[in-house]
Amino acid sequence: MKRIACLCTITEPEDHTSHSENVFHIFDSARKFNKEQNIVGTFLVLNNVLLQILEGEPSGLANVVYRVNRDPRISNVAVILNTAIETPSFTRWSIKLLSEQCAAHRTYLQKIHSLINEKSLLKTNEDRIRYNKIFQSILSENIKQNQTPEEDSYTSTSFNNTLLGMSSWPRPTQLRVNAGLMKICPLLIGHTIEYKKLLELELFNSAQELNSYLQQLREAKALTIIQTQDPSNLHSFEAHQNKNQQTPRPGRFSQALKNFISGQGMRASKP
Amino acid sequence: MSNIYKKLAVVGEVGSGKTQLIKTISEISPFATEAKSSVDIGKEYTTVGIDYGRLSLSEDIALGLYGLPGQKRFQLLWDMVRNGLWGLLVLTKFNDELNVKSLDNILEHFDPINNQIPLVIGLTHIDTAENDQEIDLFIDIISYALEQHGINAPIVPVDPRDIESSLMILQLLDALEQSSAINMEATQNVV
Ligand SMILES: Cc1cc2nc3c(=O)[nH]c(=O)nc-3n(C[C@H](O)[C@H](O)[C@H](O)COP(=O)(O)O)c2cc1C
Ligand SMILES: Nc1nc2c(ncn2[C@@H]2O[C@H](COP(=O)(O)OP(=O)(O)O)[C@@H](O)[C@H]2O)c(=O)[nH]1
Ligand SMILES: [Mg+2]
């Protein structure tokens, strides 16, 4: 049995096909073909760079490489790893679509990186660039971690003096959005907000309730927490201006909907 | 007080659960006496292929539910409900081949960011999934497609046959709408 890693560039589609549709079609045909050839592995995409890790019998892998080389949607194919293995490290064939900002796949990327790293044959400069692009988030993450070792020892009681944000919604497989999360996630996604301001909005009956939802997000690794260095001076002007800010009163429609849904919930929970 | 009528567009491929969702929500409408007039008003839509339903919240407040087919060739129907939309719900059937092109077209047409329409992607038929990895994979593909439009919308499982699950979508759309008012003043956009 063998493991190979193959770097490619996804070519710009000529017709009106969008990039995402193009990627999807390449993945979908690979999925079918690899199933026939009993190949497992992964398909990592970042912008126009595609890295495939494939595990299977040598003849099947040869077929894949032959096919990939002939695929007009893909160019610059480079096999950067070719090694014999005892047992596969993948159980199926999957796709991971990466994005520059997203940290969600970090652990996964680290695992892949360790599978290839020492044995990889990056022959050209271009291969090195493409390879680093795929792994940039963990490579830069390593640097960050070295700089802020205290990040992990963060405790739930200390949201004070922090700036909070989220880059994306929590995955339903990790954390189901509940009524409380519904209130705070839209404020955090793609934004940063001071914890203090979140408290002032009085979205919940108590600070503990707010903290418990923030804690859920933190545990699902969906929350970005930035410690603000000097809480007394930083943003003090803004904070002062907004001192009496509260949640804007919902309009009549929103209020009617809320009443209806909560009434409905009570009906449903009756025996 | 004046009447309030808002519209929710439910867009999705055949079998994604549009009809079911609209039926589930409309049936719990407490103002049963209105059922007949609702059918009457809905007739003009049903004849052109729009599912129509209504959730009456009081005598003078209602949410119209408009189920629209997902393909671009139905753009004329999309236009019938595009103005004054309160929310956009895109239903995708789990493990059907995701029609990325159709998702692209819907997002381009309704342009939820510029039009400030709360958007939720509902994942139906998730009960047919064998494991979480399968669901994650499907969500990966959808979020990737959303990202191409600069959109960061919640992707949530929904079972249109279930009242609570269906209402949760309305609750989420309401939360998104409410928070956009707060976002204007209290938060900083991340560039
Ligand atoms: C309780 C209630 C139910 C309504 N139901 C419908 C309806 O089913 N279909 C529809 O097209 N308009 C419906 N409307 C909208 C009214 O017919 C009318 O068009 C609307 O209140 C005025 O909106 P406009 O200012 O956008 O024209 C409803 C309005 C209310 C208050
Ligand atoms: N098991 C299951 N069935 C569903 C789900 N959502 C919808 N259905 C069923 O799928 C079928 C097609 O749904 P329908 O609402 O007609 O889809 P439409 O074509 O989008 O209007 C109906 O029988 C629904 O009851 C779901 O989440 N799980
Ligand atoms: Mg239908």
Side-chain angles (χ1 to χ4, degrees), chain A residues 16-21 23-25 27-28 31-32 45-47 92-102 105 163 166-174 176-179 182-183 186-194 197 201 203 235 238 242 245-258 260-261 264-265 267-268, chain B residues 1-6 25 28-30 55-58 60-63 86 96-101 104 123 126 131-145 147-149 152-158 163-164 167-183 185-191:
Chain A
H16 296 293
T17 320
S18 70
H19 178 66
S20 52
E21 196 187 2
V23 169
F24 185 76
H25 286 315
F27 172 73
D28 213 35
R31 181 175 62 92
K32 282 180 207 131
V45 184
L46 182 77
N47 301 332
R92 61 191 191 101
W93 176 243
S94 71
I95 183 173
K96 286 277 184 291
L97 302 163
L98 311 172
S99 71
E100 269 132 4
Q101 319 94 310
C102 185
H105 298 303
L163 208 52
M166 289 169 71
S167 58
S168 56
W169 285 83
R171 315 208 126 218
T173 47
Q174 248 180 338
R176 287 276 174 131
V177 175
N178 52 39
M182 269 185 215
K183 287 191 192 172
L187 298 173
L188 296 169
I189 299 227
H191 301 93
T192 56
I193 182 166
E194 278 181 80
K197 274 187 191 163
L201 289 170
L203 298 164
H235 306 300
E238 254 179 276
N242 288 318
Q245 186 186 15
Q246 286 184 358
T247 320
R249 273 181 60 82
R252 269 175 69 217
F253 180 80
S254 175
Q255 198 55 60
L257 184 65
K258 286 186 175 76
F260 177 77
I261 290 174
Q264 202 57 36
R267 218 164 300 160
Chain B
M1 271 194 269
S2 60
N3 287 344
I4 302 177
Y5 181 73
K6 305 224 178 204
I25 296 181
I28 53 172
S29 212
L55 175 62
S56 301
L57 299 168
S58 73
D60 55 357
I61 303 178
L63 175 67
W86 169 76
D96 238 16
E97 190 166 319
L98 177 73
N99 192 332
V100 186
K101 182 142 207 160
D104 279 344
L123 219 54
I126 203 156
N131 52 44
D132 278 1
Q133 281 95 338
E134 256 185 37
I135 300 171
D136 272 338
L137 176 59
F138 198 69
I139 291 176
D140 274 341
I141 295 169
I142 298 173
S143 34
Y144 187 74
E147 230 167 72
Q148 306 301 309
H149 293 265
N152 201 339
I155 304 167
V156 294
V158 55
I163 294 177
E164 236 175 293
L167 285 180
M168 198 278 244
I169 299 287
L170 301 186
Q171 204 177 2
L172 183 53
L173 286 164
D174 175 57
L176 288 170
E177 211 240 338
Q178 293 298 299
S179 66
S180 66
I182 302 177
N183 273 336
E185 21 193 307
T187 66
Q188 293 161 280
N189 281 314
V190 175
V191 196

Side-chain angles (χ1 to χ4, degrees), chain A residues 76-134:
Chain A
N76 276 338
V77 181
V79 175
I80 59 159
L81 175 80
N82 187 349
T83 182
I85 49 167
E86 301 268 305
T87 47
S89 2
F90 296 89
T91 51
R92 61 191 191 101
W93 176 243
S94 71
I95 183 173
K96 286 277 184 291
L97 302 163
L98 311 172
S99 71
E100 269 132 4
Q101 319 94 310
C102 185
H105 298 303
R106 230 177 68 207
T107 344
Y108 190 78
L109 276 178
Q110 252 142 9
K111 182 186 140 196
I112 305 293
H113 195 242
S114 66
L115 283 181
I116 319 177
N117 198 24
E118 61 268 35
K119 298 182 195 112
S120 72
L121 329 146
L122 293 164
K123 288 190 211 98
T124 69
N125 208 26
E126 197 205 339
D127 289 354
R128 247 166 259 127
I129 292 170
R130 290 190 293 174
Y131 182 82
N132 287 340
K133 235 188 196 177
I134 291 276

Side-chain angles (χ1 to χ4, degrees), chain A residues 161-165 192-195 224-226 228 235, chain B residues 188:
Chain A
N161 307 324
T162 57
L163 208 52
L164 302 170
T192 56
I193 182 166
E194 278 181 80
Y195 172 69
T224 317
I225 305 168
I226 304 164
T228 51
H235 306 300
Chain B
Q188 293 161 280

Side-chain angles (χ1 to χ4, degrees), chain B residues 13-20 51 124-125 127 158-161:
Chain B
E13 301 291 303
V14 175
S16 60
K18 304 179 295 292
T19 307
Q20 180 71 59
D51 277 323
T124 60
H125 292 265
D127 45 306
V158 55
D159 189 332
R161 300 165 302 173

